[in-house]
Amino acid sequence: MRNFLLFLFFSANLFCQKIDSSDFLILEGETPNYYYVLTNDGYYVSENSDNFTYKNYSDSLPKSLNVNVNTLLPVTHKSKNYLLYPGGGLLYLFENGAIKRVDRSFPHRNQYGAYFFSYKDDLYLIGGYGFWETKSIITKFNFNSGDWEIVTAFGQSPDGIDQGTFFIKDDNLYVFDFLTRTSNNQKEKRNDNLYVLNLESFVWKKLGVINPLIRSENQFKGTKRFFKFDNKLLFSYLDNPEFYLADLENNLFKKFEDQILFYKSGGHSVIKKNNLIGAVKNSLTGGIAIESFNIASLISNGADTELYLYRGTEEFYVYIYFALSFLAILIVVLMVYYKRVAQTYLLDENTISISSVTKEINQKEQKILSLFSKKRNVSNSEIMDLFLEKGKTKDFAVKKKNKTLVALNERLFSIFKIEFIIKKKSKSDSRQLTYFLNKKVRILKEDAI
Amino acid sequence: MNIELILLVVLFGVIGFSGSYYLNGYLYNAFRQNKMYDPIVSRSSHKEKATRSGGMALFFTFCVCYGFGKAVFAMSVDLYALIAFIFVALTGMADDFFSIKYREKFFLQVFAAIVLLQSNIYIDSFHGVFGIYEIPLWASYMITVFVFIVIVNAFNLIDGIDGLAALLSVKFFVLIAGIIAVTSSEMNLVIPSIVGAITGFLFFNFNPSKKVFLGDTGALLLGSVIAFFIFYILDKDNFIITDPLIRRPLLVVLLIIYPLADTLRASLIRMYKGQSPFLADRVHLHHRLIDKGMSHWGASTSILIMSVSVLALGFVLSTYFSLTLCCIIIFIYLFILYYLFFN
């Protein structure tokens, strides 16, 4: 099917009108003309996309225009076609069949590969490459003085914008996929972020990281094209027949592939209404033809799944809230757990300890605490068994027990700041005493671990 | 993030947690039966009997999670990075069991770093620090090896009190998960596994009756994985979502600010005293908190909260100020924290 379409396309090409020169520039024409094709010797003008007629320039080209016309940067400003000399500086106007110089400047040679655009009443040139560095400067043409002025910008400005993809919507200029080289000994590096410049306040802002699916494998100068179409950005790379239609406001893009559009948009091309006007080199005759291609039908037919254009910082902030919440929950859970296990005292033959705090105890105290390591409430009789001695009265044992328990509690409190053993009367029989281990305390014998 | 991914993240978090919890208990009992307790010396901050089995439990949990993730889902980490992690973990195990000399351990770490370089993830740009962007390959390799050694040992050195190294690692992984989720779909599930495993370990680390330490295995392993992710961020070829918010070098320094600051401070103090910078002693900041009467839990969580606050400050400042000004303000903030809490 694809070969068949290509066959039809190239067959149709045989009957198209041809341009002799390969150095030409397509310009949007003012109403009613559809477009112009400028060459070094003359120009073609078309009433529609199918027919065009050749005309000579009504005046000779300016002497300063010593480069091929296809190297000029065109822009339509107030229905007039302006042409900028490569690198900036010299500005020409194509009007009434002639190219006239309108500036009083000089070849700047400072902004090769810059983006030349019109906004409201002014013409701007942004970024570019010159004198071994990429630039992020913005220059504005002063129609009164005929010279260029530097516009001061603020905010998160990129270090340099060479060969970027640009898009203007409302008062914002979006730029991404550009190269940066800040000094002579550096290689150019690709900037992966989407930036936006407010053209009213001239404040830069980084919006986020571009979707990695949008990436040319072999990006080099002059290998991409981008157009404004239906308030969206249509762009592609010369090494790939994939096209991207980006909706920057809604952070979405669609990807589709079209071989014919790929060929037609390969050279100089512009978009007028729903058509792409492109230059196509015929592989059979070697001639170059100007053809139109209806994009609207292609996009509506080839609708693909929409993906995010850039990962915005807002999404990252949402994740950060989640991450911080997770950390907070983890700390709370661990704190509850720690509070529960933290009052676990380790009992060995001579000491009771917790963390780095250790208290020495005698044999009797060790035996009392051992009872509490097995169960939390110990009856008076069980403790009394530890103090009963042959030849000694029970009263002596009671006094010794009470004295030992009080002394033990006081000593432990002085170190650990918590009362270990609490004495309580039995609810059923008030004469019966029971000793309880404080609820916050847990005693573990070393040999039980 | 879609629902399927959230469910997978939860699944791997649960697998990591339960695997680690079980293995920590199992290995603790195995070590206890063989009387393999961590010796209590004058530098020790604990008096309980504890085993150094936590690192091994973490390592085996990672292996289980990775095996499961690789087999069932599209989970993948570069092979050379995995080899480096395993090598570092084995070095740690050897140190835990036989106490190998520092010089030998150093050379083994250098070897692991060289293996890690084969993954083609390394520091190849300064991202504008000192006006430098891309750096020559030989310099990239040398700096990457050096940074690897520093990070791995910094995490080993802060593993002096309960929960500190583990909590700071959890903080690092939880915060970096957002970046990895955007930039690498293959490594999406690695981080929940790690966080789950560390969380399972923490329940033993804070338990005085079944106390388990990370040991060199755990500290070196966590340090090497953290170093890998730091190289991932600093590798210019990777997409990093935080680029519009904060410079990459500042981000990575803030993510591991405590281990770096503490190691730098301890080394400077030792050198000032004419001692070896690698000497084991109690000059660390966390030891100061313990000596001031704080519990291990209190000291660890305080340091965690402080390090999160430094990171948050870095993010906020980066939005408004240049890198240099951010560094100056953060430096002042660190000094204030030092005088308020550690002095």
Side-chain angles (χ1 to χ4, degrees):
Chain A
M1 185 63 185
R2 183 181 135 194
N3 291 336
F4 178 69
L5 283 172
L6 284 173
F7 171 75
L8 283 179
F9 163 64
F10 285 120
S11 303
N13 235 358
L14 291 170
F15 306 103
C16 292
Q17 295 192 53
K18 305 297 183 294
I19 295 169
D20 298 330
S21 171
S22 60
D23 299 325
F24 58 89
L25 184 68
I26 303 175
L27 298 180
E28 288 183 47
E30 63 272 10
T31 311
N33 291 340
Y34 213 93
Y35 59 90
Y36 295 105
V37 181
L38 306 189
T39 70
N40 291 329
D41 307 314
Y43 68 97
Y44 296 83
V45 62
S46 170
E47 296 291 333
N48 55 58
S49 60
D50 297 327
N51 300 303
F52 53 91
T53 51
Y54 180 79
K55 292 180 180 178
N56 286 318
Y57 290 119
S58 58
D59 202 353
S60 59
L61 293 177
K63 284 184 181 177
S64 59
L65 187 53
N66 52 5
V67 293
N68 286 329
V69 288
N70 64 342
T71 60
L72 299 173
L73 296 178
V75 76
T76 304
H77 177 67
K78 294 184 175 176
S79 301
K80 289 179 179 175
N81 282 308
Y82 287 90
L83 305 164
L84 185 69
Y85 193 80
L90 310 185
L91 185 68
Y92 303 94
L93 173 65
F94 176 68
E95 198 176 35
N96 301 325
I99 297 176
K100 295 170 190 169
R101 186 173 166 183
V102 292
D103 71 290
R104 291 177 189 169
S105 188
F106 59 94
H108 293 169
R109 306 188 196 283
N110 194 36
Q111 289 182 274
Y112 292 99
Y115 180 56
F116 185 38
F117 67 97
S118 157
Y119 175 71
K120 292 192 174 171
D121 295 331
D122 294 301
L123 290 174
Y124 295 89
L125 187 66
I126 182 169
Y129 180 91
F131 301 107
W132 307 280
E133 278 183 0
T134 53
K135 318 281 174 172
S136 57
I137 56 170
I138 306 161
T139 47
K140 185 174 82 171
F141 186 70
N142 187 325
F143 282 95
N144 296 323
S145 66
D147 215 336
W148 292 84
E149 299 165 350
I150 288 185
V151 179
T152 308
F154 311 92
Q156 298 170 310
S157 164
D159 294 328
I161 310 165
D162 185 23
Q163 300 295 321
T165 303
F166 295 86
F167 180 70
I168 297 173
K169 180 84 194 286
D170 301 328
D171 296 329
N172 293 320
L173 171 74
Y174 297 87
V175 56
F176 62 95
D177 190 25
F178 52 90
L179 302 170
T180 297
R181 184 168 99 163
T182 51
S183 66
N184 197 14
N185 58 353
Q186 299 276 328
K187 277 185 184 175
E188 282 185 330
K189 67 184 182 74
R190 186 181 188 264
N191 193 313
D192 300 320
N193 296 296
L194 173 67
Y195 290 78
V196 61
L197 172 73
N198 187 293
L199 294 169
E200 288 293 317
S201 60
F202 286 95
V203 174
W204 280 103
K205 194 179 170 189
K206 263 186 187 180
L207 288 183
V209 184
I210 287 287
N211 191 322
L213 290 174
I214 302 171
R215 188 167 202 179
S216 169
E217 290 299 322
N218 301 301
Q219 186 181 0
F220 52 91
K221 294 194 173 187
T223 61
K224 69 168 113 169
R225 49 261 165 131
F226 52 92
F227 316 95
K228 187 172 185 176
F229 174 74
D230 192 22
N231 271 329
K232 290 173 185 165
L233 174 68
L234 179 70
F235 63 101
S236 73
Y237 297 95
L238 202 64
D239 57 355
N240 201 327
E242 286 179 334
F243 283 80
Y244 306 91
L245 187 69
D247 181 353
L248 283 109
E249 278 187 328
N250 296 314
N251 188 15
L252 290 168
F253 82 93
K254 269 196 268 189
K255 194 163 77 168
F256 56 92
E257 190 175 322
D258 193 280
Q259 295 283 348
I260 297 173
L261 178 60
F262 175 63
Y263 287 114
K264 288 194 175 182
S265 62
H268 295 279
S269 43
V270 291
I271 283 191
K272 190 109 183 189
K273 293 181 183 171
N274 289 334
N275 295 319
L276 181 135
I277 315 298
V280 181
K281 186 171 184 178
N282 191 308
S283 57
L284 299 177
T285 64
I288 294 170
I290 301 296
E291 296 216 5
S292 70
F293 190 91
N294 189 303
I295 299 173
S297 60
L298 175 79
I299 290 169
S300 58
N301 292 335
D304 208 340
T305 49
E306 287 189 312
L307 300 164
Y308 74 89
L309 178 66
Y310 63 93
R311 281 287 185 199
T313 49
E314 285 177 11
E315 290 180 28
F316 186 72
Y317 277 130
V318 171
Y319 174 77
I320 287 291
Y321 292 137
F322 164 77
L324 292 176
S325 307
F326 175 83
L327 277 180
I329 292 167
L330 180 66
I331 289 174
V332 170
V333 170
L334 283 173
M335 189 172 69
V336 170
Y337 175 78
Y338 179 74
K339 289 285 177 193
R340 201 171 69 80
V341 299
Q343 295 300 329
T344 302
Y345 293 80
L346 296 176
L347 182 69
D348 62 18
E349 289 180 358
N350 303 311
T351 61
I352 182 165
S353 60
I354 185 167
S355 296
S356 54
V357 187
T358 305
K359 181 73 183 168
E360 286 192 1
I361 51 173
N362 60 36
Q363 284 284 309
K364 254 328 175 232
E365 291 169 334
Q366 199 272 348
K367 283 179 181 173
I368 294 168
L369 292 172
S370 291
L371 291 174
F372 287 100
S373 71
K374 291 168 191 165
K375 50 185 180 181
R376 298 197 71 82
N377 51 331
V378 179
S379 66
N380 184 43
S381 59
E382 282 177 274
I383 297 177
M384 276 297 292
D385 289 344
L386 300 173
F387 291 90
L388 288 174
E389 292 175 41
K390 283 182 182 175
K392 302 279 184 183
T393 62
K394 197 177 175 182
D395 191 43
F396 172 79
V398 170
K399 282 181 181 173
K400 196 173 179 185
K401 178 209 72 176
N402 289 339
K403 193 178 173 185
T404 306
L405 280 173
V406 169
L408 175 63
N409 246 354
E410 283 177 357
R411 286 175 62 210
L412 294 178
F413 186 83
S414 66
I415 294 291
F416 302 117
K417 307 296 178 201
I418 191 164
E419 194 177 6
F420 269 57
I421 300 163
I422 299 159
K423 187 167 72 174
K424 282 184 181 174
K425 287 177 183 174
S426 171
K427 286 178 182 174
S428 54
D429 184 356
S430 61
R431 291 169 297 173
Q432 285 291 324
L433 282 175
T434 308
Y435 292 90
F436 290 87
L437 188 65
N438 189 326
K439 282 180 183 175
K440 292 179 180 173
V441 175
R442 197 170 155 224
I443 295 172
L444 274 174
K445 273 187 84 174
E446 280 285 278
D447 53 9
I449 298 172
Chain B
M1 205 184 252
N2 54 34
I3 295 294
E4 188 187 3
L5 182 59
I6 292 171
L7 290 175
L8 283 175
V9 165
V10 173
L11 174 70
F12 275 82
V14 170
I15 292 172
F17 175 80
S18 45
S20 169
Y21 194 84
Y22 171 77
L23 282 171
N24 270 298
Y26 182 85
L27 288 174
Y28 176 82
N29 288 329
F31 273 57
R32 185 174 65 85
Q33 282 164 12
N34 292 291
K35 306 275 182 206
M36 292 164 68
Y37 292 114
D38 186 48
I40 299 170
V41 294
S42 58
R43 287 187 297 108
S44 301
S45 296
H46 65 97
K47 299 294 173 195
E48 307 94 333
K49 284 180 178 174
T51 65
R52 307 182 74 173
S53 56
M56 288 176 69
L58 284 186
F59 176 63
F60 292 133
T61 309
F62 294 163
C63 292
V64 169
C65 289
Y66 187 75
F68 179 61
K70 182 84 177 170
V72 182
F73 304 99
M75 183 173 172
S76 179
V77 178
D78 188 273
L79 180 65
Y80 288 105
L82 285 179
I83 293 171
F85 299 156
I86 292 168
F87 194 80
V88 168
L90 292 176
T91 304
M93 274 186 214
D95 197 27
D96 282 337
F97 285 120
F98 313 115
S99 194
I100 57 177
K101 288 177 183 170
Y102 191 83
R103 192 171 296 174
E104 291 163 356
K105 202 159 68 174
F106 175 78
F107 282 113
L108 290 170
Q109 288 169 4
V110 171
F111 183 75
I114 291 168
V115 173
L116 187 62
L117 283 174
Q118 308 309 310
S119 66
N120 272 332
I121 292 174
Y122 49 83
I123 304 168
D124 54 0
S125 170
F126 273 19
H127 301 277
V129 175
F130 310 123
I132 302 169
Y133 285 88
E134 276 184 63
I135 48 176
L137 193 64
W138 63 267
S140 295
Y141 283 175
M142 289 182 72
I143 290 165
T144 304
V145 170
F146 174 74
V147 172
F148 181 84
I149 302 292
V150 168
I151 294 172
V152 165
N153 286 290
F155 270 85
N156 198 12
L157 289 173
I158 62 159
D159 186 28
I161 61 172
D162 293 346
L164 182 59
L167 280 173
L168 291 179
S169 301
V170 168
K171 182 210 79 176
F172 175 87
F173 287 118
V174 166
L175 293 174
I176 206 176
I179 296 170
I180 298 300
V182 175
T183 56
S184 168
S185 57
E186 302 85 34
M187 290 200 289
N188 267 342
L189 302 176
V190 174
I191 290 177
S193 313
I194 297 173
V195 171
I198 300 172
T199 310
F201 158 78
L202 278 168
F203 281 89
F204 282 85
N205 194 211
F206 282 118
N207 189 341
S209 59
K210 282 189 175 180
K211 189 166 280 297
V212 169
F213 292 150
L214 272 178
D216 282 310
T217 314
L220 295 181
L221 178 63
L222 285 177
S224 62
V225 177
I226 286 168
F228 170 73
F229 280 113
I230 280 175
F231 299 155
Y232 188 87
I233 292 175
L234 292 175
D235 192 320
K236 68 174 171 51
D237 292 333
N238 293 325
F239 290 90
I240 301 298
I241 192 174
T242 48
D243 276 354
L245 301 170
I246 190 167
R247 290 283 190 101
R248 293 188 196 189
L250 182 62
L251 171 68
V252 296
V253 168
L254 294 182
L255 278 169
I256 52 170
I257 186 74
Y258 181 75
L260 289 183
D262 181 60
T263 305
L264 181 67
R265 178 185 164 275
S267 301
L268 288 175
I269 289 172
R270 287 166 194 156
M271 283 192 285
Y272 179 72
K273 289 179 180 173
Q275 298 166 334
S276 163
F278 304 109
L279 187 79
D281 52 23
R282 283 180 61 88
V283 298
H284 294 281
L285 290 168
H286 45 269
H287 285 137
R288 296 194 78 156
L289 291 182
I290 298 297
D291 294 342
K292 286 172 87 173
M294 245 187 196
S295 66
H296 285 214
W297 163 258
S300 295
T301 47
S302 302
I303 292 168
L304 173 70
I305 291 165
M306 279 184 243
S307 63
V308 170
S309 74
V310 175
L311 186 62
L313 181 71
F315 267 97
V316 173
L317 292 176
S318 293
T319 314
Y320 301 103
F321 303 116
S322 67
L323 181 66
T324 311
L325 197 54
C326 283
C327 291
I328 291 169
I329 297 172
I330 288 167
F331 212 65
I332 293 167
Y333 181 67
L334 289 176
F335 264 99
I336 292 168
L337 286 179
Y338 178 80
Y339 275 99
L340 285 178
F341 296 98
F342 298 98
N343 198 18

